[in-house]
Amino acid sequence: MTKVVLSNIFVQIFIIGTVLTFLINQFLEFVDFRARIKNGGKLPAELEKFSAAEVFDREKLAKISAYENAKYYLWIPKSLSSTVLTFILVFSGFYPWMFNVVCRYTGFPNGFLSTYLCSLLFFFLIGIPSSILSIPFDLIHEFIIEKKFGFSKMTFKLWLVDQVKSTLVSGILGIVLMAVVIAVLTFFVKTWWILLVCVVFAFTLIMQVLYPLVIAPMFNKFTPLEDGELKTKISQLMENLGFKASGIFVMDASKRSGHSNAYFGGFGKSKRIVLYDTLIKQLTTDELVAVLGHELGHYKLHHIIRRFIVLIPIMCALTYLLFFIAQHTAIYTGFGFAVAAIPVESIQFIGLFLANLVAGSISELLSPLTSSLSRRDEYQADAFSAKLTGSPDALISGLIKLNSENLSELLPPKLYVFWNYDHPTLIDRIRALENK
């Protein structure tokens, strides 16, 4: 079996990036943990004026810290074992071995069909180890941590059914998407990088339509919101904004969890507003309208379209970089693939996989940038909701309740927020709303 070449530049980038990512995350999570020990029992002064002491009493503050600590204690072995598994799969020669096995059974390389079957089997089989590793951690999180803190309503049977459904849906979508990707890689050897960008964005748009209409109803029941004050106010809000949707639906989220949320999904005529039934129970009508005004703010401020526009040149640059790397035999030989007898043009899907493996190891360094851009959009959506409703009070009280019900941290360290948070903290959001 061909060994990984440690002197190979791509292998070195992978090793350094993976180790650096592991150390950064360990450091950040520990900093967050230490901050909880120091500040977990404190109520921020900004919340006192909103009578938040009734919401965040001493018992609730202790529960928030305990919940976050429980997730942290589980995250430590999960991140460690995941990193160890990553190195084992690379340095044991698992990937080239698996490639050779599927090649023998599919007759690769022998035309498009054999290439497609080879790639399909390869990506399915190499994903099995990490899927198996995640099972015990997922079970502990769902049936020990989430149940202990009153969130999970899941039964093992329902969890198992969800896993089977998710696997089937992912499998069907993966089979179709892989066929398109392999066709692009096979028939457009020199230009597949730009066509791959088109495939990704087309797939994203298709999923915007399929998810709310086909996939989501496979897991949850969606019923039209009943007539009443809430529906009237939401409908008036939509009319004022010129937002047309196929309906306002309530999702039976409480069937699985006590966590709450609201969102609008879909594209074109498939757009719909979805409210978790847990959210309706937790918030007043005005608070819920304000929270929904925030979500609609993303739409009216064109955050989603803007992200697409920004992402297009970035995606083009990244896919070209992956294309460029995939043309070099060094990345194949460095990770143990014997390509002397097979033209590089015939195994571009392996090159794409290896290039992603290398690039993914250093992608953590981009987290502060993507997180800061997301937080900026959240601030703007908050301001939009406050202006729309005429006052920030309903949104602030709604955010306080949501933060309490979901046991979210109140005083995470700034470094941790800077690196990981795609939403501002509750305190930062309140400060920004009060300064408008």
Side-chain angles (χ1 to χ4, degrees):
M1 185 179 292
T2 308
K3 295 183 178 179
V4 173
V5 182
L6 293 178
S7 60
N8 184 277
I9 183 62
F10 296 111
V11 174
Q12 291 174 350
I13 293 174
F14 164 75
I15 295 172
I16 294 171
T18 303
V19 171
L20 189 61
T21 294
F22 176 79
L23 294 177
I24 288 173
N25 284 319
Q26 291 292 331
F27 171 73
L28 289 172
E29 293 296 335
F30 180 72
V31 168
D32 189 35
F33 171 69
R34 292 293 298 175
R36 278 196 302 275
I37 293 177
K38 181 180 178 181
N39 301 316
K42 298 178 181 178
L43 180 68
E46 289 86 349
L47 294 179
E48 292 179 359
K49 68 180 73 173
F50 298 102
S51 301
E54 300 175 5
V55 179
F56 295 105
D57 56 20
R58 185 172 298 179
E59 182 180 351
K60 176 57 68 74
L61 292 174
K63 190 175 182 181
I64 290 173
S65 292
Y67 179 56
E68 292 296 332
N69 287 343
K71 291 191 293 181
Y72 173 58
Y73 297 146
L74 180 63
W75 176 86
I76 293 173
K78 182 178 181 180
S79 64
L80 179 60
S81 58
S82 177
T83 303
V84 170
L85 177 63
T86 297
F87 279 121
I88 289 175
L89 293 179
V90 169
F91 289 101
S92 67
F94 173 75
Y95 294 128
W97 173 78
M98 186 58 69
F99 175 66
N100 292 332
V101 169
V102 296
C103 280
R104 288 197 298 271
Y105 280 97
T106 59
F108 177 85
N110 188 24
F112 170 75
L113 182 58
S114 67
T115 303
Y116 172 61
L117 292 175
C118 181
S119 61
L120 199 62
L121 282 174
F122 175 76
F123 286 112
F124 170 74
L125 293 172
I126 65 172
I128 291 177
S130 59
S131 297
I132 293 175
L133 178 65
S134 69
I135 291 175
F137 294 107
D138 291 343
L139 289 172
I140 292 172
H141 179 264
E142 185 65 48
F143 292 101
I144 296 181
I145 296 177
E146 292 293 295
K147 281 194 177 294
K148 178 181 178 181
F149 290 92
F151 289 122
S152 179
K153 307 298 188 297
M154 191 81 76
T155 63
F156 181 74
K157 179 181 178 181
L158 181 58
W159 180 86
L160 193 60
V161 170
D162 279 354
Q163 299 304 308
V164 172
K165 287 181 181 179
S166 297
T167 301
L168 289 174
V169 171
S170 299
I172 293 171
L173 293 175
I175 289 171
V176 175
L177 183 61
M178 185 62 69
V180 178
V181 170
I182 295 302
V184 169
L185 296 179
T186 302
F187 300 114
F188 302 92
V189 178
K190 300 298 182 182
T191 57
W192 61 254
W193 62 274
I194 187 65
L195 294 175
L196 203 58
V197 174
C198 298
V199 170
V200 169
F201 279 101
F203 180 75
T204 302
L205 291 176
I206 291 172
M207 287 302 298
Q208 286 287 316
V209 176
L210 285 182
Y211 181 79
L213 298 181
V214 179
I215 299 175
M218 293 175 61
F219 297 88
N220 289 95
K221 183 179 179 181
F222 294 82
T223 56
L225 179 64
E226 295 180 355
D227 292 337
E229 182 187 14
L230 179 59
K231 185 175 182 179
T232 300
K233 287 193 173 184
I234 292 176
S235 298
Q236 185 62 52
L237 184 71
M238 292 166 55
E239 184 178 342
N240 292 341
L241 293 176
F243 181 86
K244 296 181 180 180
S246 59
I248 307 168
F249 296 87
V250 178
M251 188 181 89
D252 62 339
S254 58
K255 179 181 179 181
R256 291 174 172 79
S257 174
H259 290 293
S260 53
N261 199 5
Y263 68 91
F264 73 88
F267 182 76
K269 293 183 178 180
S270 70
K271 288 201 303 290
R272 54 171 53 187
I273 291 176
V274 176
L275 310 173
Y276 284 23
D277 57 354
T278 48
L279 185 70
I280 295 176
K281 294 175 183 177
Q282 293 167 2
L283 303 186
T284 67
T285 297
D286 288 341
E287 290 168 347
L288 209 155
V289 170
V291 169
L292 191 58
H294 167 96
E295 297 301 326
L296 292 174
H298 287 303
Y299 166 76
K300 291 299 292 185
L301 296 172
H302 310 296
H303 287 161
I304 298 173
I305 295 176
R306 190 174 65 196
R307 287 180 188 178
F308 266 97
I309 294 173
V310 171
L311 274 176
I312 290 174
I314 294 175
M315 282 288 294
C316 287
L318 289 176
T319 25
Y320 181 77
L321 178 62
L322 297 178
F323 167 80
F324 180 78
I325 294 173
Q327 309 312 306
H328 289 72
T329 56
I331 195 169
Y332 300 91
T333 56
F335 284 93
F337 286 83
V339 295
I342 306 175
V344 169
E345 291 79 6
S346 300
I347 52 173
Q348 292 290 284
F349 66 92
I350 295 295
L352 188 58
F353 162 69
L354 294 176
N356 268 297
L357 188 67
V358 174
S361 68
I362 58 176
S363 61
E364 178 67 26
L365 301 178
L366 297 176
S367 290
L369 174 62
T370 55
S371 296
S372 64
L373 292 175
S374 178
R375 289 195 302 273
R376 181 195 62 184
D377 288 350
E378 296 302 322
Y379 281 126
Q380 292 178 357
D382 278 352
F384 180 89
S385 176
K387 182 178 180 180
L388 186 68
T389 57
S391 170
D393 293 346
L395 180 58
I396 290 174
S397 61
L399 290 174
I400 289 173
K401 289 181 181 179
L402 288 176
N403 198 103
S404 173
E405 294 293 338
N406 289 303
L407 298 181
S408 301
E409 281 190 273
L410 291 176
L411 292 169
K414 291 182 179 180
L415 178 61
Y416 190 82
V417 173
F418 168 74
W419 200 278
N420 285 329
Y421 271 41
D422 57 5
H423 281 58
T425 65
L426 174 64
I427 305 304
D428 289 335
R429 295 177 78 170
I430 290 176
R431 287 172 181 164
L433 285 166
E434 287 190 307
N435 290 331
K436 291 296 181 183

